[in-house]
Amino acid sequence: MRLLVTGGAGFIGSNFVHHAVANTDHHVTVLDALTYAGNRASLEGLPSGRVEFVQGDITDAPLVSSLFAQADAVVHYAAESHNDNSLHDPRPFLDTNIVGTYTLLEAARRHDVRFHHISTDEVYGDLELDDPERFTESTPYNPSSPYSSTKAGSDLLVRAWVRSFGVRATISNCSNNYGPYQHVEKFIPRQITNVIRGIRPKLYGAGENVRDWIHADDHSSAVLTILEKGVIGETYLIGADGERDNKSVVATILTLMGRPADAYDHVTDRAGHDLRYAIDSTKLRRELGWRPSFGDFDAGLAATIDWYRSHEEWWAPSKVTTEAFYAGKGQ
Ligand code: NAD
Ligand code: DAU
């Protein structure tokens, strides 16, 4: 199969390309604009006969159309992905997440290409800490931030293009990913690289917010499963039962890195900070037979710490600008 992967030089997209090359015979073309979040080095070492890289924007309709004409299926990861950035400047989120997804859907319609849309559990809003319920495919949409509202908008566009134009699309909404190649603006790599640099980790507010962690490689295997067996028009939630509060994640990072578990600082909270996400992935497991492989979060975290320790050349160029951005906001 000829796969077109948008955003394949980003965190989860590049993990997916590595996973697809290792586990399938698909030929992969990556379309990525190489924004501040994209890194060509994340695709180094892949066989050139299996992976082709095209630098370009998903809002560029002629380019997108020419690439869809040569693809059997498209997996759409490209997005502006960081909540804190969306609070600072929402505009690029509207351009890429809404107009970009619209541009891809029009090409999918014109060329009748199978389309898989990557989305987030944040479209469902947040849960109370003691709520016994978790998000399911029928939870009503209730996004909180400019980021999550543009992702919710993009999901609704996909649903409309399936119903109105017969586009062969599926959607997945995944929980928080961790693993190699994640930008240092995000929580886990920020704290790991802080500790490497001798900076104390920074917890927003009281640090009681809960995220449902999944290794990026498990996200990739779930997406391949949906591409292969998913029912057109359906949505699948992806999660690995990995709920942890931020305080305990930071304490684990510090302990694994040989520091006292409480050697962190509390900083200004994120505006509108979602309290808790939790995914019920029963549908994906029961109907398509998917299972996660990374059962042990602490072991996955230890491997991720090793990766950042041995890939300083990959993250160091972004660290200074990222920390300058946070310092300006008291974070
Ligand atoms: P990322 O920010 O690491 O990567 C995004 C990639 O998209 C970058 O390579 C960037 O260069 C590219 N890109 C941005 N705008 C573009 C444009 N206009 N045209 C072409 N390329 C463009 O993001 P990520 O964390 O890897 O997230 C990937 C996808 O997964 C997003 O759709 C996000 O909403 C979704 N998601 C992320 C998580 C998570 O925990 N990170 C969880 C669930 C879903
Ligand atoms: O749930 C899926 C979502 O997960 C994806 O859709 C997003 O693209 C992805 O960025 C992620 O969103 P979060 O906002 O949950 O991730 P982030 O890594 O920014 O923050 C995780 C938690 O850690 C959150 O509660 C905020 C907190 N945090 C974050 C940073 C950067 C801190 O306490 N300190 C920090 O320095």
Side-chain angles (χ1 to χ4, degrees):
M1 187 153 72
R2 296 164 306 166
L3 270 187
L4 176 64
V5 177
T6 73
F11 164 44
I12 310 179
S14 64
N15 273 280
F16 176 79
V17 175
H18 284 276
H19 185 93
V21 167
N23 294 283
T24 72
D25 294 326
H26 304 327
H27 179 274
V28 179
T29 300
V30 169
L31 170 62
D32 196 296
L34 295 181
T35 67
Y36 81 96
N39 193 336
R40 191 75 180 78
S42 304
L43 298 169
E44 268 170 15
L46 291 165
S48 55
R50 296 280 309 280
V51 181
E52 183 189 347
F53 182 80
V54 177
Q55 183 170 359
D57 201 298
I58 59 166
T59 61
D60 180 344
L63 172 64
V64 163
S65 181
S66 71
L67 293 172
F68 272 61
Q70 301 159 42
D72 299 308
V74 175
V75 186
H76 172 34
Y77 289 93
E80 286 293 337
S81 69
H82 194 36
N83 277 299
D84 292 322
N85 291 344
S86 82
L87 296 165
H88 177 71
D89 180 14
R91 179 63 200 239
F93 290 75
L94 292 156
D95 293 339
T96 290
N97 301 357
I98 301 281
V99 179
T101 301
Y102 154 76
T103 307
L104 299 177
L105 285 168
E106 283 292 82
R109 173 186 175 193
R110 188 170 318 115
H111 297 284
D112 188 25
V113 174
R114 170 84 172 86
F115 188 77
H116 182 68
H117 177 63
I118 301 293
S119 192
T120 168
D121 58 0
E122 294 193 20
V123 299
Y124 300 114
D126 60 355
L127 298 162
E128 293 300 327
L129 294 179
D130 60 355
D131 191 333
E133 299 299 317
R134 299 189 289 171
F135 298 140
T136 70
E137 287 77 4
S138 50
T139 303
Y141 274 35
N142 186 27
S144 316
S145 73
Y147 161 68
S148 53
S149 60
T150 58
K151 290 299 291 188
S154 68
D155 293 8
L156 299 182
L157 291 177
V158 176
R159 290 184 186 184
W161 261 243
V162 170
R163 176 151 176 177
S164 305
F165 305 121
V167 165
R168 293 182 294 124
T170 42
I171 299 174
S172 55
N173 297 80
C174 189
S175 60
N176 284 64
N177 286 221
Y178 74 98
Y181 303 113
Q182 187 169 27
H183 195 279
V184 292
E185 69 190 356
K186 301 292 183 354
F187 179 52
I188 287 179
R190 184 180 184 208
Q191 314 315 338
I192 294 171
T193 55
N194 276 354
V195 176
I196 292 173
R197 284 284 155 85
I199 305 168
R200 285 164 68 91
K202 312 287 179 210
L203 263 186
Y204 291 175
E208 281 163 2
N209 308 63
V210 170
R211 296 295 182 262
D212 188 354
W213 295 99
I214 180 173
H215 195 279
D217 208 46
D218 279 336
H219 188 175
S220 297
S221 70
V223 169
L224 279 181
T225 301
I226 296 166
L227 260 188
E228 196 187 317
K229 303 185 201 162
V231 176
I232 298 303
E234 290 294 313
T235 290
Y236 298 91
L237 263 55
I238 304 174
D241 303 326
E243 282 188 70
R244 294 280 284 259
D245 68 33
N246 294 341
K247 245 194 305 202
S248 96
V249 173
V250 162
T252 305
I253 291 172
L254 282 160
T255 306
L256 288 169
M257 297 183 78
R259 303 288 200 287
D262 60 353
Y264 56 79
D265 294 328
H266 290 279
V267 295
T268 311
D269 205 356
R270 172 184 285 170
H273 196 173
D274 278 343
L275 191 52
R276 171 173 164 242
Y277 307 138
I279 287 268
D280 177 347
S281 59
T282 303
K283 177 179 175 182
L284 176 63
R285 294 176 193 229
R286 281 224 185 111
E287 294 184 9
L288 306 189
W290 173 81
R291 294 278 176 286
S293 307
F294 286 76
D296 182 344
F297 177 67
D298 289 8
L301 208 48
T304 304
I305 290 168
D306 286 345
W307 189 88
Y308 280 90
R309 278 191 167 130
S310 58
H311 289 80
E312 191 156 347
E313 76 295 343
W314 184 89
W315 55 264
S318 313
K319 184 69 181 164
V320 175
T321 41
T322 299
E323 289 307 319
F325 170 71
Y326 282 128
K329 303 190 305 136
Q331 293 179 321

